[in-house]
């Protein structure tokens, strides 16, 4: 057991009896009443306050991901709340556990794909060629290009053009947004299918413009959706649906097993 | 199985292929780029946009709860991330699961206590008398008054006076804030101990001023802390501490069981 | 920061490069191939191997709680799996989060109630009197006696008499089981309603006979149900229902908000 | 909204007021008191009772994964319990969330690798050749072969030879176990390093012998560890370490940020 101890260190925050500092700012004196929740999230992730343009863009991205009505996540949170109404934190947690590869996770996939295709700092890249080769590679490997297509929002996911317009207005419609659009066009050409950029694709591209690490892009979706889930739990407390869903599904799912079909 | 089916209904949001509406507003046209993340949370919970005063106050409350350095929640999230770095949503979820009765939950306790002592709409209440009786009741039952005292922040939790100052500036220093202060003074008098209002006590009182249902007050802490946890996970990815903590604790905790003390 | 460090210590297990010991037994040499999973759970909780009678009884209790078809927990796990199929651990976690006060938690409530009414070691107690006073107290406070009645299993929960028969055969039908039966009879008499002992009531009483601490009784339900949830996730992977449930609920829940009713 | 409704169906269990059936067996009459917890898990996953040999083997696998002392998962569960002692289900859930790719997940990786290298039903395969090509492929792609090597248990993970001995005794030391051993030898030869089969590697191989789907192999680790976590939470309730860990880490991690080093 001659293990050498390594230091433990965090640069996020510290406290003394009369002081609390977060990212080098006094929480009571410099942040409370002076910074909005979305800008606080930026400060934590990036380590400095956002510019006005970054603030608009980052808040728009986060707001996009807060709420999309009844989703599998919202249902998981409501069903959990029905069993443990004393622990709304656990109901939110249950809802968040499903934000994986299938739903919100594709924001991350898009950002990772774009950063790999166009490493930060690249100058004079041939974007159409990158897009062609990237789509060809995905098709060869039989993989789906992340961030394109939507089961419901066809032919256009209405969130994507709006996010790109906000990016344009605020100076974030650079090479990554352009590349994402070329990838979309190439994927549609090569497949002959309608594959519009969806909200997670637009967000992935804009997160690259903002310089956010791809590893944290899914995290923005996670905290944004935590807000939406609190809204669903509040509604579940007032006008519940979980027990009715449970009973309907239980009856239908096992009808074939019951004597006399139930 | 002659169960009567009940309707299932949610008023939060709906979508068609070209439209997404949240709380009666078009998400792309009326919300993206126009509402901040904190105000979006208010809209979801309350059902209407906040006034400028409500926005400052509500964002300040949420910002207070985002981050408090290395907490048990932050550690649980980091330790979970070390085992499942592919699922940051699950690391955030693990961190949230601990926001129960001991830590963030006391915001809820304060709000519930104040609403019960002073039901919304009460006119001409004798606040000092209510405070005296309330504290006497807690002492008789051997219970701790929620929202008072702090293990570290003594004699004053620096977040509380700042939150009350913001409440004052924005017109939210009404009867609930006054009652909370009277309860604090009475608890200190009766116990002979220093029991300053802590951040969760101030937040509980101000949430009553804002008219938020007590059942959702803990929820504000939950989504705010989700932001902080994403910050901790990002840092854990860059400069990890989880494995070192695990190894140190493992060695110390089982040293007495090992032959030759390890 | 003159905080005095406290020791950190665990008595459960330890390892060296060539040895792993759990509760004082070599995991490879004394446990693997020699102890069943249920008995291992007992060993961990109680600190010694179960007697043959304790083994039958404890396994029966745990088996009771593994599975009850489509429950809110099973649905939460399935909906989570649909979003994050790469993280089945998070799907199980989401399902467990709902095992709170409403469902499995009532085992704990019964055990706590019985231990408080009849502290371990009590001799010569007047059980009928205790039952009468206990039920009267619950009725006065307007509370529901835990462990009685079931929405579906009427007039009898078929698990309860079977569990009591196993208790009888194995020597665990002592004062706590007798008291639980008296409480049931008294609750039915006082209310004029059919309130049979349900599975969680029987389990709570038998856990007292086994001497398990009430704080851990819910834990038995939690790990037992984790097994059931793995079964549901396996089935969801082969013949899914989560997406269909989501789509049906989404359509119905928001139909009233859509133009032209959807 | 002309979506066609799909049927919802589960084959696991059903109930009527006086009957509960799981996998075609009456829960009260055919399972309670007659099946152990580990065998119940097998019944749920496989759909039939295990043979005596399958029972010994499957229980041994599950028992292996129950407990490994203070792990990141156990710490996450304990830290969560410290904040929400009223929700032990959420503390177990938090602990499970970290059973991802780094720790318990490697059982799944091994089983998947072996099934792909040797599809069920293959006759007369050249196992040494398969092992050589498989290891060469991993080395070419710069990937780690799952199930080999252990940071602590060197030169041998004592659980692996014991699990293989139980497999031998019970007729499960077939082609998958043989292939796993050849892969280990080849990986050691090619790398020049000591890479013994670890517990998760042995379990992955034996799960293939048992015919368990690779997708569910991690699930066995998840429910087994749920038992271990309940044990840790019980101990945390009696002799806590979470608060001490938190305070030590908090002090050390932020010392460099504090005025005067804290």
């Amino acid at each position: 057991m001659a293990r050498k101890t390594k230091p433990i260190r965090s640069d996020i925050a510290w406290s003394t009896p009369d002081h609390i500092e977060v990212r080098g700012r006094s929480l009571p004196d410099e942040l409370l009443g002076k910074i909005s929740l979305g800008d606080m999230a930026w400060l934590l992730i990036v380590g400095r306050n956002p510019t006005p343009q970054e603030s608009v863009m980052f808040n728009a991205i986060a707001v996009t991901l807060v709420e999309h009505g009844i989703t599998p996540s919202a249902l998981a949170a409501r069903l959990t709340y029905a069993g443990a109404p004393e622990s709304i934190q656990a109901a939110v947690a249950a809802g968040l556990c499903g934000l994986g590869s299938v739903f919100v996770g594709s924001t991350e996939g898009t950002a990772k794909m774009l950063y790999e295709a166009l490493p930060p700092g690249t100058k004079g890249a041939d974007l159409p060629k990158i897009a062609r080769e990237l789509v060809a590679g995905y098709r060869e490997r039989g993989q789906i290009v992340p961030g394109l297509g939507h089961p419901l929002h066809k032919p256009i996911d209405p969130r994507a053009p709006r996010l790109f317009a906000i990016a344009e207005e605020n100076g974030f419609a650079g090479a990554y947004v352009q590349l994402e659009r070329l990838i979309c066009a190439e994927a549609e050409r090569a497949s002959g299918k309608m594959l519009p950029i969806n909200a997670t694709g637009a967000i992935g591209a804009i997160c690259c413009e903002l310089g956010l690490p791809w590893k944290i892009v899914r995290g923005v979706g996670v905290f944004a959706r935590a807000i939406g889930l609190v809204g669903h739990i509040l509604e579940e407390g007032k006008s519940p649906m979980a027990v009715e869903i449970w009973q309907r599904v239980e009856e239908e799912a096992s009808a074939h097993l019951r004597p006399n079909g139930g």
Side-chain angles (χ1 to χ4, degrees), chain A:
Chain A
M1 295 292 132
R3 202 181 64 83
K4 217 181 130 193
T5 293
K6 286 176 207 144
I8 287 174
R9 178 183 162 136
S10 170
D11 293 320
I12 296 176
W14 59 271
S15 312
T16 56
D18 62 351
H19 203 79
I20 300 170
E21 210 168 291
V22 180
R23 291 285 185 215
R25 285 145 181 88
S26 160
L27 176 68
D29 299 337
E30 297 175 80
L31 296 174
L32 296 190
K34 294 174 184 163
I35 193 169
S36 75
L37 185 65
D39 289 3
M40 179 74 176
W42 175 279
L43 170 62
L44 267 180
I45 292 173
V46 180
R48 60 166 174 79
N49 284 36
T51 65
Q53 291 76 26
E54 287 167 339
S55 173
V56 170
M57 192 73 250
F58 184 69
N59 275 275
I61 285 173
V63 166
T64 307
L65 297 166
V66 165
E67 179 53 59
H68 200 263
I70 298 293
T71 56
S73 276
L75 289 173
R78 286 170 177 262
L79 286 153
T80 301
Y81 179 74
E86 69 282 6
S87 304
I88 80 160
Q89 72 279 7
V92 175
L96 294 184
C97 280
L99 300 180
S101 58
V102 179
F103 298 112
V104 173
S106 47
T107 52
E108 177 187 286
T110 306
K112 193 173 178 228
M113 173 186 79
L114 293 173
Y115 274 136
E116 283 171 0
L118 191 67
T122 311
K123 300 273 176 205
D126 181 347
L127 298 180
K129 184 164 169 260
I130 293 176
R132 270 197 313 276
E133 291 174 359
L134 185 146
V135 170
Y138 273 85
R139 290 177 63 83
E140 250 180 64
R141 295 188 301 274
Q143 290 177 326
I144 287 170
V145 181
L148 303 183
H150 196 281
L152 171 63
H153 297 302
K154 297 187 256 205
I156 280 174
D157 181 333
R159 297 166 293 184
R162 181 70 187 116
L163 285 166
F164 284 139
I166 297 169
E168 197 91 44
E169 288 160 25
N170 288 280
F172 300 111
Y176 288 108
V177 165
Q178 209 184 326
L179 179 57
E180 176 67 11
R181 283 176 154 150
L182 289 164
I183 289 168
C184 168
E186 176 62 19
E188 293 196 321
R189 196 200 56 74
S191 70
K193 284 193 228 158
M194 214 162 53
L195 287 169
I197 299 173
N198 63 34
T200 68
I203 286 170
I206 297 169
C207 283
C208 292
E209 297 286 338
L210 291 167
L212 298 178
W214 71 261
K215 277 203 172 183
I216 217 60
V217 169
R218 190 191 300 193
V220 178
V222 171
F223 68 65
R225 190 55 57 92
I227 295 175
L229 293 175
V230 169
H232 280 277
I233 291 165
L234 180 60
E235 188 180 67
E236 181 69 23
K238 289 182 196 162
S239 84
M241 64 171 70
V243 169
E244 177 68 19
I245 293 169
W246 162 36
Q247 294 191 344
R248 286 192 201 175
V249 174
E250 207 282 328
E251 282 168 23
E252 178 175 340
S254 61
H256 68 291
L257 295 173
R258 291 169 209 267
N260 313 318

